[in-house]
Amino acid sequence: MNALRAFEAAARHMSFTKAAEELTVTAAAGSQQIRTLEDRLGVALFRRRNRSLLLTDAAQSFLPSVRDGF
């Protein structure tokens, strides 16, 4: 459940750091939760750039279901 919350917050903010602040965890912990979710799903959810994130096609398809679930 924490990994889904981290994914939703990161997608909304387009930032692991801002998502971590919202969830009151460290940026490293938030990023690890998302990596764990990606491993479980077997698909990348974000394209990580130097100072930005982009949602993958899989994430764009998955995000509405996650939001509806919350």
Side-chain angles (χ1 to χ4, degrees):
M1 184 66 99
N2 289 338
L4 292 173
R5 290 185 193 279
F7 164 65
E8 191 281 329
R12 186 166 18 92
H13 292 292
M14 294 308 293
S15 167
F16 290 150
T17 302
K18 288 180 183 177
E21 288 172 3
E22 177 182 320
L23 299 170
T24 63
V25 297
T26 65
S31 180
Q32 183 59 42
Q33 289 172 344
I34 292 167
R35 284 194 189 275
T36 298
L37 180 60
E38 289 175 324
D39 288 345
R40 287 185 181 170
L41 295 174
V43 63
L45 297 171
F46 293 95
R47 288 189 192 103
R48 292 149 175 92
R49 303 290 185 210
N50 281 342
R51 292 219 166 250
S52 67
L53 295 175
L54 298 172
L55 291 175
T56 63
D57 290 341
Q60 290 179 24
S61 296
F62 185 49
L63 185 58
S65 298
V66 173
R67 285 189 172 147
D68 288 347
F70 288 127

